[in-house]
Structure formats: C-alpha cells, structure tokens
Short mmCIF file of all heavy atoms in Angstrom, two decimals:
data_model
loop_
_atom_site.label_atom_id
_atom_site.label_comp_id
_atom_site.label_asym_id
_atom_site.label_seq_id
_atom_site.Cartn_x
_atom_site.Cartn_y
_atom_site.Cartn_z
N TYR A 298 107.50 100.67 82.05
CA TYR A 298 108.46 99.57 81.97
C TYR A 298 109.04 99.26 83.35
O TYR A 298 109.21 98.10 83.73
CB TYR A 298 109.60 99.90 81.01
CG TYR A 298 109.18 100.05 79.55
CD1 TYR A 298 109.99 100.71 78.63
CD2 TYR A 298 107.97 99.53 79.09
CE1 TYR A 298 109.61 100.86 77.30
CE2 TYR A 298 107.58 99.68 77.77
CZ TYR A 298 108.41 100.34 76.87
OH TYR A 298 108.03 100.48 75.57
N GLY A 299 109.36 100.32 84.10
CA GLY A 299 109.89 100.12 85.45
C GLY A 299 108.89 99.41 86.33
O GLY A 299 109.23 98.46 87.05
N ALA A 300 107.62 99.84 86.28
CA ALA A 300 106.59 99.22 87.11
C ALA A 300 106.36 97.76 86.73
O ALA A 300 106.13 96.91 87.60
CB ALA A 300 105.29 100.01 86.97
N ILE A 301 106.43 97.45 85.44
CA ILE A 301 106.18 96.09 84.96
C ILE A 301 107.31 95.15 85.40
O ILE A 301 107.08 94.11 86.04
CB ILE A 301 106.04 96.07 83.43
CG1 ILE A 301 104.74 96.76 83.02
CG2 ILE A 301 106.08 94.63 82.90
CD1 ILE A 301 104.64 97.06 81.54
N PHE A 302 108.55 95.50 85.08
CA PHE A 302 109.66 94.57 85.31
C PHE A 302 110.07 94.51 86.78
O PHE A 302 110.34 93.43 87.32
CB PHE A 302 110.85 94.94 84.43
CG PHE A 302 110.60 94.68 82.97
CD1 PHE A 302 110.34 95.71 82.08
CD2 PHE A 302 110.60 93.38 82.48
CE1 PHE A 302 110.09 95.46 80.74
CE2 PHE A 302 110.35 93.11 81.14
CZ PHE A 302 110.09 94.16 80.27
N ILE A 303 110.12 95.66 87.44
CA ILE A 303 110.45 95.64 88.88
C ILE A 303 109.34 94.94 89.64
O ILE A 303 109.59 94.10 90.52
CB ILE A 303 110.67 97.07 89.41
CG1 ILE A 303 111.82 97.75 88.68
CG2 ILE A 303 110.98 97.03 90.92
CD1 ILE A 303 111.90 99.25 88.93
N GLY A 304 108.10 95.30 89.30
CA GLY A 304 106.96 94.70 90.00
C GLY A 304 106.93 93.18 89.87
O GLY A 304 106.69 92.47 90.86
N PHE A 305 107.21 92.66 88.68
CA PHE A 305 107.13 91.22 88.45
C PHE A 305 108.28 90.47 89.11
O PHE A 305 108.08 89.53 89.88
CB PHE A 305 107.11 90.94 86.95
CG PHE A 305 106.88 89.48 86.61
CD1 PHE A 305 105.57 89.01 86.46
CD2 PHE A 305 107.93 88.60 86.46
CE1 PHE A 305 105.35 87.67 86.16
CE2 PHE A 305 107.71 87.26 86.16
CZ PHE A 305 106.41 86.80 86.02
N PHE A 306 109.52 90.93 88.84
CA PHE A 306 110.68 90.16 89.31
C PHE A 306 110.98 90.38 90.79
O PHE A 306 111.49 89.47 91.46
CB PHE A 306 111.89 90.49 88.43
CG PHE A 306 111.79 89.94 87.04
CD1 PHE A 306 111.44 90.75 85.97
CD2 PHE A 306 111.99 88.58 86.80
CE1 PHE A 306 111.31 90.24 84.69
CE2 PHE A 306 111.86 88.05 85.52
CZ PHE A 306 111.53 88.89 84.46
N ALA A 307 110.67 91.54 91.32
CA ALA A 307 110.85 91.75 92.76
C ALA A 307 109.85 90.89 93.53
O ALA A 307 110.17 90.37 94.61
CB ALA A 307 110.67 93.22 93.12
N ALA A 308 108.64 90.72 92.98
CA ALA A 308 107.66 89.84 93.62
C ALA A 308 108.10 88.39 93.52
O ALA A 308 107.98 87.62 94.48
CB ALA A 308 106.29 90.03 92.97
N LEU A 309 108.63 87.99 92.37
CA LEU A 309 109.03 86.60 92.15
C LEU A 309 110.22 86.20 93.01
O LEU A 309 110.24 85.12 93.61
CB LEU A 309 109.36 86.40 90.67
CG LEU A 309 109.81 85.00 90.25
CD1 LEU A 309 108.71 83.98 90.52
CD2 LEU A 309 110.18 84.98 88.77
N PHE A 310 111.22 87.07 93.11
CA PHE A 310 112.47 86.71 93.81
C PHE A 310 112.61 87.37 95.19
O PHE A 310 113.55 87.06 95.91
CB PHE A 310 113.68 87.10 92.94
CG PHE A 310 113.75 86.35 91.64
CD1 PHE A 310 113.49 86.99 90.43
CD2 PHE A 310 114.09 85.01 91.62
CE1 PHE A 310 113.56 86.31 89.23
CE2 PHE A 310 114.17 84.31 90.42
CZ PHE A 310 113.90 84.96 89.23
N GLY A 311 111.72 88.31 95.53
CA GLY A 311 111.88 89.09 96.76
C GLY A 311 111.54 88.31 98.02
O GLY A 311 111.10 87.16 97.98
N GLY A 312 111.72 88.99 99.16
CA GLY A 312 111.52 88.35 100.45
C GLY A 312 110.31 88.82 101.20
O GLY A 312 110.15 88.52 102.39
N THR A 313 109.42 89.58 100.54
CA THR A 313 108.18 90.03 101.17
C THR A 313 107.03 89.61 100.27
O THR A 313 106.87 90.15 99.17
CB THR A 313 108.16 91.57 101.35
OG1 THR A 313 109.38 91.98 101.96
CG2 THR A 313 106.99 92.00 102.22
N SER A 314 106.23 88.66 100.72
CA SER A 314 105.26 88.01 99.84
C SER A 314 104.18 88.94 99.32
O SER A 314 103.63 88.71 98.24
CB SER A 314 104.61 86.83 100.56
OG SER A 314 103.99 87.25 101.76
N THR A 315 103.87 90.01 100.05
CA THR A 315 102.76 90.89 99.63
C THR A 315 103.23 92.23 99.05
O THR A 315 102.41 93.10 98.77
CB THR A 315 101.84 91.18 100.83
OG1 THR A 315 102.63 91.72 101.91
CG2 THR A 315 101.15 89.92 101.31
N GLN A 316 104.53 92.37 98.88
CA GLN A 316 105.07 93.67 98.45
C GLN A 316 104.77 93.95 96.97
O GLN A 316 104.94 93.09 96.11
CB GLN A 316 106.59 93.69 98.66
CG GLN A 316 107.27 94.99 98.26
CD GLN A 316 107.97 95.63 99.43
OE1 GLN A 316 107.32 96.15 100.33
NE2 GLN A 316 109.27 95.61 99.44
N ILE A 317 104.34 95.17 96.69
CA ILE A 317 104.16 95.64 95.32
C ILE A 317 105.27 96.67 95.06
O ILE A 317 105.38 97.65 95.78
CB ILE A 317 102.78 96.30 95.10
CG1 ILE A 317 101.65 95.34 95.48
CG2 ILE A 317 102.64 96.78 93.66
CD1 ILE A 317 101.54 94.12 94.61
N SER A 318 106.05 96.43 94.04
CA SER A 318 107.20 97.29 93.76
C SER A 318 107.02 98.03 92.44
O SER A 318 106.28 97.60 91.56
CB SER A 318 108.49 96.45 93.71
OG SER A 318 108.70 95.78 94.94
N GLY A 319 107.72 99.14 92.32
CA GLY A 319 107.68 99.94 91.10
C GLY A 319 108.32 101.29 91.37
O GLY A 319 108.86 101.53 92.46
N PRO A 320 108.29 102.18 90.40
CA PRO A 320 108.86 103.52 90.60
C PRO A 320 108.22 104.22 91.80
O PRO A 320 107.01 104.15 91.99
CB PRO A 320 108.52 104.24 89.29
CG PRO A 320 108.38 103.14 88.28
CD PRO A 320 107.79 101.99 89.03
N THR A 321 109.04 104.86 92.61
CA THR A 321 108.56 105.60 93.77
C THR A 321 109.10 107.02 93.72
O THR A 321 110.03 107.32 92.96
CB THR A 321 109.01 104.94 95.09
OG1 THR A 321 110.45 104.97 95.16
CG2 THR A 321 108.53 103.50 95.19
N ALA A 322 108.53 107.89 94.55
CA ALA A 322 108.94 109.30 94.54
C ALA A 322 110.43 109.48 94.86
O ALA A 322 111.14 110.18 94.13
CB ALA A 322 108.07 110.09 95.52
N PRO A 323 110.95 108.87 95.93
CA PRO A 323 112.39 109.05 96.22
C PRO A 323 113.29 108.54 95.11
O PRO A 323 114.26 109.20 94.73
CB PRO A 323 112.59 108.25 97.52
CG PRO A 323 111.24 108.17 98.14
CD PRO A 323 110.29 108.10 97.00
N MET A 324 112.98 107.36 94.58
CA MET A 324 113.82 106.79 93.52
C MET A 324 113.76 107.64 92.25
O MET A 324 114.78 107.82 91.57
CB MET A 324 113.37 105.36 93.21
CG MET A 324 113.60 104.38 94.34
SD MET A 324 115.36 104.09 94.68
CE MET A 324 115.78 102.94 93.38
N THR A 325 112.59 108.17 91.94
CA THR A 325 112.46 109.00 90.75
C THR A 325 113.23 110.31 90.92
O THR A 325 113.86 110.80 89.97
CB THR A 325 110.98 109.30 90.46
OG1 THR A 325 110.27 108.07 90.31
CG2 THR A 325 110.83 110.13 89.20
N ALA A 326 113.20 110.88 92.13
CA ALA A 326 113.91 112.14 92.38
C ALA A 326 115.41 111.97 92.18
O ALA A 326 116.08 112.82 91.57
CB ALA A 326 113.61 112.63 93.79
N VAL A 327 115.97 110.87 92.68
CA VAL A 327 117.42 110.63 92.51
C VAL A 327 117.72 110.26 91.06
O VAL A 327 118.75 110.67 90.50
CB VAL A 327 117.90 109.53 93.47
CG1 VAL A 327 119.38 109.24 93.25
CG2 VAL A 327 117.67 109.94 94.92
N SER A 328 116.83 109.50 90.43
CA SER A 328 117.02 109.15 89.01
C SER A 328 117.06 110.40 88.15
O SER A 328 117.82 110.48 87.17
CB SER A 328 115.88 108.24 88.54
OG SER A 328 115.84 107.04 89.27
N LEU A 329 116.24 111.37 88.51
CA LEU A 329 116.20 112.63 87.77
C LEU A 329 117.56 113.32 87.79
O LEU A 329 117.98 113.93 86.79
CB LEU A 329 115.14 113.55 88.37
CG LEU A 329 114.93 114.92 87.73
CD1 LEU A 329 114.54 114.77 86.28
CD2 LEU A 329 113.86 115.69 88.49
N VAL A 330 118.27 113.22 88.91
CA VAL A 330 119.62 113.80 89.01
C VAL A 330 120.55 113.13 88.01
O VAL A 330 121.32 113.79 87.30
CB VAL A 330 120.17 113.63 90.44
CG1 VAL A 330 121.61 114.12 90.52
CG2 VAL A 330 119.31 114.38 91.45
N VAL A 331 120.47 111.81 87.93
CA VAL A 331 121.31 111.05 86.97
C VAL A 331 120.96 111.44 85.55
O VAL A 331 121.84 111.76 84.73
CB VAL A 331 121.09 109.53 87.16
CG1 VAL A 331 121.93 108.75 86.15
CG2 VAL A 331 121.44 109.11 88.58
N ILE A 332 119.67 111.42 85.24
CA ILE A 332 119.22 111.67 83.86
C ILE A 332 119.61 113.07 83.41
O ILE A 332 120.17 113.24 82.32
CB ILE A 332 117.69 111.47 83.77
CG1 ILE A 332 117.35 110.00 84.02
CG2 ILE A 332 117.17 111.91 82.41
CD1 ILE A 332 115.88 109.74 84.32
N ALA A 333 119.35 114.07 84.25
CA ALA A 333 119.68 115.45 83.88
C ALA A 333 121.18 115.63 83.70
O ALA A 333 121.64 116.30 82.76
CB ALA A 333 119.16 116.41 84.95
N GLY A 334 121.97 115.02 84.60
CA GLY A 334 123.43 115.16 84.51
C GLY A 334 124.01 114.53 83.26
O GLY A 334 124.86 115.12 82.59
N VAL A 335 123.55 113.33 82.92
CA VAL A 335 124.08 112.63 81.74
C VAL A 335 123.63 113.32 80.46
O VAL A 335 124.42 113.46 79.51
CB VAL A 335 123.63 111.15 81.74
CG1 VAL A 335 124.15 110.44 80.49
CG2 VAL A 335 124.14 110.43 82.99
N ILE A 336 122.37 113.78 80.42
CA ILE A 336 121.90 114.49 79.23
C ILE A 336 122.70 115.77 79.00
O ILE A 336 123.06 116.11 77.87
CB ILE A 336 120.39 114.82 79.35
CG1 ILE A 336 119.56 113.54 79.25
CG2 ILE A 336 119.95 115.80 78.27
CD1 ILE A 336 118.08 113.74 79.45
N ALA A 337 123.01 116.48 80.10
CA ALA A 337 123.78 117.73 79.99
C ALA A 337 125.17 117.50 79.40
O ALA A 337 125.70 118.36 78.70
CB ALA A 337 123.89 118.39 81.36
#
C-alpha cells in the first residue's frame, strides 16, 4: 500500500520527474520504532 500510494502521488505532485518513491530502509527503520512503541 505504501509503495502504491506514495509512488503514484509523489510522482504526480513531486518535483523530480523521474523519481520512484516507496518504502525505504531508513523510513522503515524509524517506522518500526513508532509501531513497536504504540503496540507496547
């Protein structure tokens, strides 16, 4: 879902015409901190 929606709308509204967006390692690592903390 992240790859689909970020990829589509970041391409549509973004400022880099060739950029492909989606979940990345750094963003997932920080997201994991949020997810683990809230679940706990």
Side-chain angles (χ1 to χ4, degrees):
Y298 294 161
I301 291 167
F302 290 105
I303 299 167
F305 186 89
F306 289 102
L309 180 62
F310 296 108
T313 311
S314 57
T315 55
Q316 181 120 288
I317 304 295
S318 301
T321 63
M324 293 294 281
T325 303
V327 178
S328 299
L329 181 59
V330 175
V331 179
I332 294 164
V335 178
I336 290 176

